Amino acid sequence: MAAARTPARPARQAGPAPGDVLGHVTLVTGKEEFLRERTVGAVRAAVRSHDGEAEMAEAVGADLTLGSLGELSAPSLFSSTRCVVVRELEHLPEESVNALLGYAGAPAEDVALVLVHSGGPKGSGVLTKLRKLGPVTEVKTEELKPSEFPQFVAAEARMLGARMDPSAANALVQAVGHDLRALAAAVDQLAHDFPDEALGEERVAQYFGGRAEAKSFVVADAAFYGKRLEALEELRWALDNGTASVLVTSAFAGSARGIARFKAATSRGRGMRDADLAREVGVPPWKIRTLRDQAKGWSDDGLVAAIRAVSQADADVKGAASDASYTLERLVLTIAALRS
């Protein structure tokens, strides 16, 4: 008999219990890759806590058939408990949809099935049908708005049993940037090194002051202003002082998104006050003046090209390229040149 439907839970919540995932289907949706992977890891951890010998299996949606799904979920000679992760659900073949829905409506009791959809409209019909099934629990992992990153930091601290001042959360975001992995690692370090005290700005400055002074977002701001030489100087200073390459690309991505959102908001509502614009764009009010100045030199086509360049550089510094410094210098030159 199908289990009763479990309400959707936040993606950053403490891990589920074995009974929440075994005999159930966990549907993970959204574009935020870090939160998707955290949810997958939490399901695996719950299964292992129930059975240390449980088997772990993976597949991609494009390869899923009735036969392969049966093989993935069938017990083996070594363990009857399994955790099956199907990634890229958006690429599920049409002929496999009914087989997956049939299984998801009555999953095996000793199997935890995790279906990961990377976001976007493709495969939305399958998601709609899955959401109607009792054993399916959806975990949404949408990308955060700039104004939500301090909330993420504070939630990370609470999850670890730590207390963090709002000002400290803001300072950490300014120092580390908008990379969720880096922010989570920073909070984890602070929480474990200072377990019995409220985490304030002084602790953030003590551990991440070098990054705060380097300010990868200063590099991005200079590049998006078209100040090529200044951006290159700031980049070299930041890298020489230990700023991670991924934080630089994260800052560039944030600048590109901010300009795009500002242009969209001003085109919809001319004459808006800065405070209203800040809420619409999702940035602090002081950032609006910077975005207004930067946006004057950016066309829609230029922004599209910039976003593509940032995306490629981000992939390169995460492993696709051998020289991260060269990749970032090339990104600076590209962005500065694109500003008309």
Side-chain angles (χ1 to χ4, degrees):
M1 178 181 293
R5 183 178 179 83
T6 306
R9 58 179 182 272
R12 298 188 295 275
Q13 180 174 311
D20 293 332
V21 296
L22 289 168
H24 293 262
V25 178
T26 303
L27 177 61
V28 187
T29 60
K31 296 181 179 180
E32 182 45 68
E33 186 263 347
F34 170 73
L35 297 180
R36 292 201 310 263
E37 290 307 304
R38 170 174 282 185
T39 303
V40 172
V43 174
R44 284 176 171 157
V47 173
R48 287 195 180 102
S49 71
H50 174 76
D51 182 353
E53 302 298 322
E55 292 193 20
M56 303 290 146
E58 283 212 17
V60 293
D63 297 335
L64 199 65
T65 65
L66 178 59
S68 62
L69 180 61
E71 292 175 3
L72 289 168
S73 58
S76 71
L77 294 174
F78 304 100
S79 175
S80 61
T81 307
R82 309 197 86 182
C83 178
V84 179
V85 179
V86 178
R87 302 182 185 277
E88 300 177 10
L89 184 65
E90 61 271 21
H91 299 307
L92 182 72
E94 185 64 33
E95 59 269 22
S96 300
V97 170
N98 288 337
L100 177 63
L101 293 175
Y103 177 86
E109 292 184 359
D110 293 328
V111 175
L113 176 60
V114 185
L115 303 175
V116 184
H117 187 283
S118 306
K122 188 173 183 179
S124 58
V126 177
L127 296 183
T128 299
K129 294 175 182 178
L130 284 168
R131 289 169 178 142
K132 297 177 180 179
L133 300 178
V136 175
T137 298
E138 182 176 11
V139 180
K140 296 182 178 181
T141 62
E142 298 300 332
E143 292 178 312
L144 273 64
K145 298 178 181 178
S147 60
E148 293 175 337
F149 282 90
Q151 300 171 29
F152 169 83
V153 168
E156 288 289 301
R158 287 194 299 271
M159 188 175 67
L160 295 171
R163 294 169 294 153
M164 177 171 280
D165 298 338
S167 59
N170 277 297
L172 190 61
V173 173
Q174 291 294 326
V176 175
H178 287 172
D179 183 274
L180 293 187
R181 274 193 176 84
L183 285 171
V187 176
D188 183 78
Q189 183 176 7
L190 289 169
H192 282 87
D193 287 359
F194 306 102
D196 299 320
E197 67 175 75
L199 300 173
E201 288 186 72
E202 67 281 359
R203 291 303 188 195
V204 173
Q206 177 183 346
Y207 270 48
F208 303 98
R211 287 183 182 178
E213 292 169 5
K215 294 180 180 177
S216 56
F217 58 85
V218 173
V219 182
D221 275 350
F224 276 92
Y225 270 122
K227 300 176 181 178
R228 176 173 57 89
L229 293 180
E230 180 181 330
L232 287 173
E233 290 175 1
E234 293 287 354
L235 173 65
R236 180 50 51 198
W237 193 95
L239 295 178
D240 287 347
N241 284 273
T243 299
S245 300
V246 69
L247 299 181
V248 178
T249 56
S250 176
F252 271 74
S255 291
R257 287 194 298 266
I259 295 172
R261 288 169 177 163
F262 176 84
K263 287 173 67 69
T266 52
S267 67
R268 289 194 302 268
R270 297 184 183 277
M272 294 176 65
R273 296 181 305 167
D274 282 2
D276 297 328
L277 266 177
R279 284 192 293 271
E280 181 77 13
V281 179
V283 298
W286 59 264
K287 185 70 173 177
I288 290 297
R289 180 178 298 177
T290 299
L291 291 176
R292 181 178 287 112
D293 291 342
Q294 288 177 331
K296 294 175 182 176
W298 283 96
S299 66
D300 291 344
D301 290 342
L303 271 178
V304 171
I307 291 170
R308 288 174 178 167
V310 173
S311 178
Q312 182 60 56
D314 188 59
D316 287 347
V317 300
K318 289 177 180 176
S322 58
D323 190 339
S325 296
Y326 172 76
T327 296
L328 294 176
E329 289 174 358
R330 183 180 61 193
L331 176 63
V332 165
L333 295 173
T334 300
I335 297 302
L338 283 171
R339 189 177 196 268
S340 58

